[in-house]
Amino acid sequence: MAQKFVYFFGNGEAEGRADMKNLLGGKGANLAEMSSIGLPVPPGFTITTEVCTEFYKNNQAYPEALAAEVAANLKKIEALMGRTFGDAQNPLLVSVRSGARASMPGMMDTVLNLGLNDTTVQGIIAQSGDERFAYDAYRRFVQMYADVVMGMEKEILDHLLEQKKEQKGVHLDTGLTAADWKDLVAQFKKAIFDELGQAFPEDPQEQLWGAIGAVFGSWMNQRAITYRKLNNIPAEWGTAVNVQSMVFGNMGDDCATGVAFTRDPSTGENYFYGEFLVNAQGEDVVAGIRTPQPINRSKPTTLPTMEELMPECYNQFVEIRETLEKHYKDMQDLEFTIEKGKLFMLQTRNGKRTAPAAIKIAVDMVKEGLIDEKTAVLRVAPSQLDQLLHPSLDPKAPKNVIAKGLPASPGAVSGSVVFTADEAEAEAKIGKKVILVRIETSPEDIHGMHAAQGILTARGGMTSHAAVVARGMGKCCVAGCGDIKVDYASESFTAKNGVVVKKGDVITLDGSKGEVMLGAVPTVPVQLTGDFGLLMELVDKFRTMKVRTNADTPHDAKVAREFGAEGIGLCRTEHMFFDAERIAAVREMILSEELEGRERALAKIMPMQKGDFIGLFREMKGLPVTIRLLDPPLHEFLPQEERDILELSQTMKVTVNAIKHKIDSLHEFNPMLGHRGCRLGITFPEIYNMQVRAIMEAACELVKNEGFSIVPEIMIPLIATTKELQVLKQNAVAICEEVIAAYGVKVEYLIGTMIELPRAALTADDIATEAEFFSFGTNDLTQTTFGLSRDDAGKFLPFYVENGILPEDPFVSLDQTGVGKLVKMACELGRGTRPKIKLGICGEHGGDPESVIFCHKIGLDYVSCSPFRVPIARLAAAHAALGDK
Ligand code: ADP
Ligand code: MG
Ligand code: MG
């Protein structure tokens, strides 16, 4: 059979269907579908995307058969409409509309009223009896055609129109007369000739093919190419062209045009929502020339509604709304036009919606029996939830943006500015809300970050310390804000526009947009409504992979449980060391040259650590808790600033020089690859011994006194060889057994390791002889696999991503081809040795939807992520499970 290039629709029939989007584009496929289910759609035809592909394959030539098919289909329209294209008495006018598979701003705009010229305009006048309408349509056509087909600068014609209005002393287009429009058509054509040296085409056939050519041509324009690149749309798809007979919303007060949604796209509420304009055409509604009126009173308004002005059309429209929702089983975004009291549908598609609306619509549609539970779960994108899990700025409030940085961690907060972590802590203690502003942050600032409402840094990228830690804490953060200059000495920062913000001044951060605002902008709180809960119930029905959280404090653990965490996948014990009281003991330990001194200091820390673990176990009652032993290099615990060094020397009664000497001796060229992780445990066994004892005593105490059942998971970081694990495991087991015996209770425990070095992944079969579980530390595994340090990557990584050298930042979304391959391999090797070995990932990838889906595919038991990302991971895991089937 010969290839078919054109598909007809109209009069209750269509050659195409909604599921032919690849061939007909979204607009064409849905016009066909609406027509065949009997909705009033002006007749027309769609030229397929295959023509577009052929066009580019054959040096911009059309397939031979196309011209005849177009002519035949145009005849069909003419027959249905009782008008003839180009006829002097009774001319048919059409629109030419582009329409790719996916909606694509950046493509050609639509041309309306095509087929008009100095002769046919007379026919329109005779037919409509309305000269003003006819010339208004004509001038619109010339304007649009000149702009989108001929490439004329829009401003030149716009300027002529403005001039005309000025001359006539009117403000609105509606103030111009037929004679004015007629004169403008002539002026436009002259300006086009003067500017382009090319006459405006009078021949309707030439106009039609010009417009068709412009749609296909626009597929390769720079805007479209850029848009496709950003949205991963392949160039091979091509666009379709829709040619459709015109209906006129601008023929008088019984005419109108508008857009509507079958449900409210911002709240999801189940009422008909839309706007329209009487006596207007095409995009007047969105162009903001006049204020559109609502179609009904579902929201209060002072304007007359469509329901009141055109009740018959409105009632018919309400029926169409119902038909479309039942048919498409999703919220629809509609375009319509009313010509002389008759309603026409011009477009339908699944409507874009906010996160709360997506959830409400999905849940409601299950209740209404429109969709099943699986479909509801798949209707909400995991990444969309992020919007919901943090407070946001009141969209109605005025705001004074003084700087922009990176949207490093979402949320919206206000507070008075402080410049040091200690101040942040002190102010927070007396109940003040503060924003911590730093040039950049370091581990020393953690207590201040905890105490602050939000964090603003002048330097550092999306994966800088501030950004990573803030996201982990679920704290709002704007990072890398080059628009501000921070001056610690004068305790102030200066924004690019000259505004100076001093300590104590109030600012607001929007971590979702990266904006810094002067003053306090009111926020709207997180609303985990009933619908959110209902959706998450459905999510958990289909999900097979568990979701744990990374939490270092009982508070974080509590938040995470509220979000549905099923355990702790990573507790970083070192974060507990930064607390003001403890850091002194930690420093004392580090500064002690002798084992004895270190043990004395550790004995001070031990009860505090035990208390931490009791708090965590209590909060996570009955759920698994994985605790990682000390990981960072010791120098991170020593002070850097002169003032702090002096203070430490006084409290510890050691000389400043001795401290400086120690700091020097701990200096490393590459701390990430230095004396850290299990290497500390091997060289200073007393540190890990203390931690293991604290964990086991906490567990035994709760089991013995309160009847808990706890299986602590003790995790040893940065293992490269089995021997390391063997030695450390032996030490740990000895202590565990000693504690268990002392308490006289039965407590099981697991000892496992993080897999975060390629060597560990490569020898996972051997490591599994010792390890009872693996947790993939994908942050460090990414650093070590790529051989790049995250802290230094800011200089080139953004460039790599922008220029497509890396498809994505591998710290945001797991590099499945490389790092993922290691993870997959290690899982298989580990299971080979120990079939029931528990497998999970911790690290930020645990909250990234794509990475979660990957983890499901390779069969991990769980992912662990920061508390605020737990619902996102749950939803992603459900999507992965449903995608499997
Ligand atoms: P976009 O994809 O940018 O929305 P459309 O092709 O949908 O472009 O058209 C732009 C505007 O013109 C819309 O308001 C649409 O409803 C209107 N329109 C398109 N074709 C016709 C037609 N045949 N009759 C009346 N209005 C039309
Ligand atoms: Mg548009
Ligand atoms: Mg449209």
Side-chain angles (χ1 to χ4, degrees):
M1 210 180 71
Q3 201 178 354
K4 184 174 165 60
F5 295 119
V6 180
Y7 285 70
F8 188 78
F9 58 84
N11 198 30
E13 291 168 359
E15 293 175 326
R17 287 188 316 265
D19 62 3
M20 290 164 68
K21 289 200 177 66
N22 293 358
L23 188 64
L24 303 179
K27 202 177 284 169
N30 283 329
L31 282 169
E33 188 81 10
M34 282 201 292
S35 185
S36 60
I37 61 173
L39 299 187
V41 176
F45 57 84
T46 305
I47 304 174
T48 66
T49 55
E50 285 172 0
V51 173
C52 186
T53 317
E54 293 283 308
F55 179 75
Y56 283 105
K57 241 194 260 160
N58 300 320
N59 228 338
Q60 312 220 351
Y62 296 119
E64 250 184 51
L66 182 66
E69 279 192 52
V70 166
N73 279 276
L74 199 56
K75 281 248 147 19
K76 281 200 209 173
I77 304 182
E78 290 174 340
L80 281 175
M81 298 298 290
R83 297 167 186 263
T84 308
F85 192 56
D87 190 74
Q89 270 79 48
N90 192 8
L92 171 74
L93 302 187
V94 296
S95 64
V96 176
R97 320 170 65 184
S98 65
R101 276 193 221 183
S103 148
M104 254 182 71
M107 288 285 301
M108 191 202 83
D109 292 313
T110 293
V111 179
L112 301 177
N113 311 332
L114 187 139
L116 275 170
N117 57 30
D118 290 341
T119 316
T120 55
V121 73
Q122 298 304 330
I124 296 290
I125 295 170
Q127 290 289 322
S128 65
D130 184 344
E131 196 183 357
R132 186 185 181 281
F133 154 73
Y135 278 107
D136 178 30
Y138 195 6
R139 68 89 193 177
R140 285 174 191 260
F141 168 55
V142 176
Q143 255 178 307
M144 282 189 260
Y145 194 92
D147 170 29
V148 302
V149 181
M150 302 180 81
M152 173 90 176
E153 238 179 275
K154 222 169 161 293
E155 286 68 33
I156 300 177
L157 303 190
D158 286 349
H159 179 69
L160 289 174
L161 175 54
E162 280 313 307
Q163 227 174 22
K164 187 79 178 177
K165 283 201 244 175
E166 235 165 76
Q167 274 171 17
K168 308 291 280 192
V170 298
H171 286 295
L172 294 176
D173 288 5
T174 39
L176 295 178
T177 64
D180 296 329
W181 291 130
K182 187 176 175 185
D183 180 46
L184 271 173
V185 169
Q187 284 191 29
F188 284 173
K189 287 186 176 178
K190 178 166 183 308
I192 292 166
F193 187 80
D194 290 347
E195 182 71 18
L196 303 175
Q198 197 185 340
F200 188 86
E202 287 285 311
D203 175 10
Q205 284 293 336
E206 190 186 338
Q207 295 172 355
L208 177 62
W209 286 98
I212 292 172
V215 175
F216 288 136
S218 71
W219 181 252
M220 284 298 173
N221 75 23
Q222 204 48 52
R223 274 192 302 162
I225 291 171
T226 309
Y227 184 85
R228 280 200 294 275
K229 217 169 102 186
L230 290 175
N231 293 277
N232 289 321
I233 297 175
E236 298 80 63
W237 281 8
T239 180
V241 181
N242 301 288
V243 177
Q244 186 174 27
S245 70
M246 281 302 301
V247 286
F248 300 101
N250 52 338
M251 280 173 92
D253 286 346
D254 52 353
C255 302
T257 185
V259 294
F261 292 85
T262 56
R263 304 186 186 213
D264 187 324
S266 62
T267 64
E269 279 168 284
N270 189 359
Y271 53 67
F272 204 8
Y273 176 89
E275 292 184 327
F276 80 118
L277 273 178
V278 174
N279 199 7
Q281 183 171 55
E283 299 207 306
D284 290 359
V285 176
V286 279
I289 302 169
R290 282 190 274 151
T291 309
Q293 301 155 234
I295 57 168
N296 57 28
R297 294 198 178 271
S298 51
K299 291 232 170 99
T301 173
T302 53
L303 299 168
T305 66
M306 176 176 170
E307 187 171 12
E308 290 151 9
L309 295 175
M310 303 173 164
E312 265 170 52
C313 279
Y314 180 76
N315 289 339
Q316 188 194 354
F317 199 23
V318 169
E319 271 170 40
I320 289 175
R321 168 201 184 214
E322 221 147 276
T323 307
L324 283 173
E325 274 216 343
K326 286 222 172 80
H327 191 76
Y328 283 96
K329 301 183 189 316
D330 200 353
M331 188 263 272
Q332 297 295 296
D333 168 350
L334 311 171
E335 287 175 8
F336 66 97
T337 283
I338 295 165
E339 177 179 316
K340 301 246 165 242
K342 194 166 161 12
L343 174 67
F344 293 93
M345 298 305 300
L346 290 168
Q347 193 168 331
T348 189
R349 61 184 154 187
N350 294 338
K352 293 224 179 342
R353 59 206 79 177
T354 63
I359 292 173
K360 178 155 178 54
I361 291 170
V363 169
D364 281 354
M365 285 192 167
V366 172
K367 288 187 206 156
E368 293 160 25
L370 268 182
I371 56 174
D372 63 17
E373 295 179 338
K374 287 180 191 173
T375 310
V377 168
L378 292 170
R379 282 276 166 84
V380 183
S383 55
Q384 256 188 322
L385 290 187
D386 205 23
Q387 241 188 62
L388 231 73
L389 300 171
H390 301 273
S392 51
L393 289 181
D394 183 347
K396 281 171 252 145
K399 46 185 199 174
N400 175 8
V401 179
I402 54 169
K404 270 201 88 156
L406 300 170
S409 179
V413 293
S414 314
S416 46
V417 168
V418 294
F419 290 95
T420 69
D422 290 342
E423 271 174 322
E425 200 178 46
E427 296 279 284
K429 269 213 179 102
I430 57 169
K432 265 193 143 177
K433 289 187 177 265
V434 296
I435 308 281
L436 177 61
V437 181
R438 302 282 302 163
I439 295 171
E440 47 195 346
T441 63
S442 72
E444 271 186 84
D445 296 321
I446 295 221
H447 62 291
M449 295 172 76
H450 238 297
Q453 301 293 309
I455 298 124
L456 169 62
T457 65
R459 272 211 295 262
M462 289 292 283
T463 53
S464 62
H465 177 268
V468 173
V469 173
R471 282 199 293 274
M473 293 176 178
K475 207 143 261 193
C476 172
C477 173
V478 174
C481 183
D483 284 358
I484 64 165
K485 282 227 157 23
V486 178
D487 182 20
Y488 291 138
S490 66
E491 302 194 299
S492 69
F493 72 79
T494 312
K496 215 164 60 179
N497 63 0
V499 173
V500 178
V501 175
K502 289 206 265 324
K503 182 173 136 183
D505 290 352
V506 173
I507 60 169
T508 300
L509 301 181
D510 182 341
S512 316
K513 289 204 181 123
E515 288 177 346
V516 184
M517 286 142 281
L518 205 57
V521 181
T523 57
V524 283
V526 186
Q527 287 218 313
L528 301 183
T529 56
D531 290 324
F532 178 84
L534 288 173
L535 178 80
M536 293 318 279
E537 268 173 39
L538 299 183
V539 162
D540 289 346
K541 264 195 199 175
F542 300 111
R543 173 167 68 90
T544 52
M545 189 169 60
K546 299 260 181 214
V547 175
R548 297 195 194 179
T549 189
N550 301 347
D552 311 331
T553 63
H555 170 79
D556 288 356
K558 185 163 186 287
V559 172
R561 279 208 69 171
E562 280 161 12
F563 284 139
E566 297 161 297
I568 290 179
L570 174 62
C571 165
R572 304 174 183 88
T573 45
E574 60 272 15
H575 284 181
M576 301 165 169
F577 287 2
F578 281 102
D579 202 84
E581 291 166 52
R582 306 171 188 198
I583 191 76
V586 173
R587 286 171 175 168
E588 183 185 330
M589 171 195 79
I590 297 170
L591 293 173
S592 306
E593 295 300 336
E594 306 298 327
L595 175 64
E596 226 188 11
R598 284 199 296 275
E599 284 185 331
R600 213 179 316 118
L602 285 165
K604 290 185 198 164
I605 304 171
M606 152 82 188
M608 302 186 225
Q609 281 257 281
K610 183 172 155 187
D612 294 330
F613 298 139
I614 287 180
L616 275 184
F617 287 139
R618 232 189 249 294
E619 203 53 67
M620 299 308 285
K621 190 164 186 173
L623 297 174
V625 175
T626 305
I627 297 167
R628 178 178 73 185
L629 303 184
L630 190 69
D631 184 49
L634 296 180
H635 75 83
E636 285 196 6
F637 300 102
L638 292 181
Q640 279 164 7
E641 312 226 346
E642 202 66 35
R643 207 180 57 198
D644 297 335
I645 294 175
L646 189 68
E647 202 183 299
L648 181 64
S649 99
Q650 283 159 356
T651 50
M652 282 207 52
K653 309 202 176 8
V654 223
T655 64
V656 166
N657 267 348
I659 296 176
K660 285 194 174 163
H661 182 73
K662 190 73 193 178
I663 292 172
D664 281 347
S665 77
L666 287 175
H667 172 81
E668 290 178 315
F669 288 103
N670 200 335
M672 176 189 79
L673 303 176
H675 194 182
R676 54 166 283 218
C678 68
R679 299 161 193 174
L680 288 172
I682 297 274
T683 48
F684 301 109
E686 57 278 9
I687 300 178
Y688 276 17
N689 290 350
M690 177 280 285
Q691 292 193 295
V692 171
R693 187 176 297 280
I695 295 168
M696 280 318 279
E697 286 194 8
C700 290
E701 220 165 278
L702 286 174
V703 170
K704 186 168 180 179
N705 300 341
E706 301 183 33
F708 273 58
S709 65
I710 305 172
V711 183
E713 299 177 2
I714 298 170
M715 180 154 79
I716 299 175
L718 211 74
I719 289 289
T721 74
T722 313
K723 186 76 186 173
E724 289 169 321
L725 185 57
Q726 208 175 39
V727 170
L728 292 170
K729 188 177 170 185
Q730 225 166 40
N731 293 349
V733 167
I735 293 188
C736 289
E737 294 302 328
E738 186 197 316
V739 174
I740 289 171
Y743 277 83
V745 287
K746 244 185 88 127
V747 173
E748 280 175 51
Y749 56 92
L750 297 176
I751 295 177
T753 175
M754 287 189 70
I755 303 282
E756 50 191 332
L757 295 175
R759 194 183 190 285
L762 292 165
T763 59
D765 46 351
D766 198 40
I767 290 181
T769 57
E770 294 290 339
E772 291 166 305
F773 64 86
F774 287 167
S775 175
F776 293 93
T778 48
N779 290 354
D780 273 347
L781 191 58
T782 300
Q783 298 200 85
T784 51
T785 301
F786 272 91
L788 67 79
S789 137
R790 183 163 71 176
D791 298 329
D792 298 319
K795 291 185 186 127
F796 56 89
L797 202 52
F799 183 90
Y800 267 48
V801 176
E802 247 158 58
N803 291 280
I805 292 163
L806 281 176
E808 253 173 313
D809 182 336
F811 295 109
V812 175
S813 199
L814 186 73
D815 159 47
Q816 297 181 12
T817 18
V819 180
K821 192 171 180 178
L822 276 177
V823 174
K824 183 164 181 265
M825 192 184 70
C827 286
E828 284 159 8
L829 289 174
R831 284 204 175 106
T833 306
R834 195 186 285 265
K836 292 241 159 94
I837 189 166
K838 264 202 201 183
L839 301 170
I841 86 163
C842 50
E844 290 212 50
H845 297 109
D848 167 63
E850 290 297 316
S851 312
V852 172
I853 290 171
F854 175 78
C855 292
H856 171 90
K857 280 197 193 136
I858 61 168
L860 294 193
D861 298 303
Y862 70 88
V863 295
S864 186
C865 58
S866 61
F868 283 88
R869 297 195 76 84
V870 167
I872 298 172
R874 283 161 74 197
L875 181 56
H879 276 217
L882 289 173
D884 268 357
K885 284 166 198 157

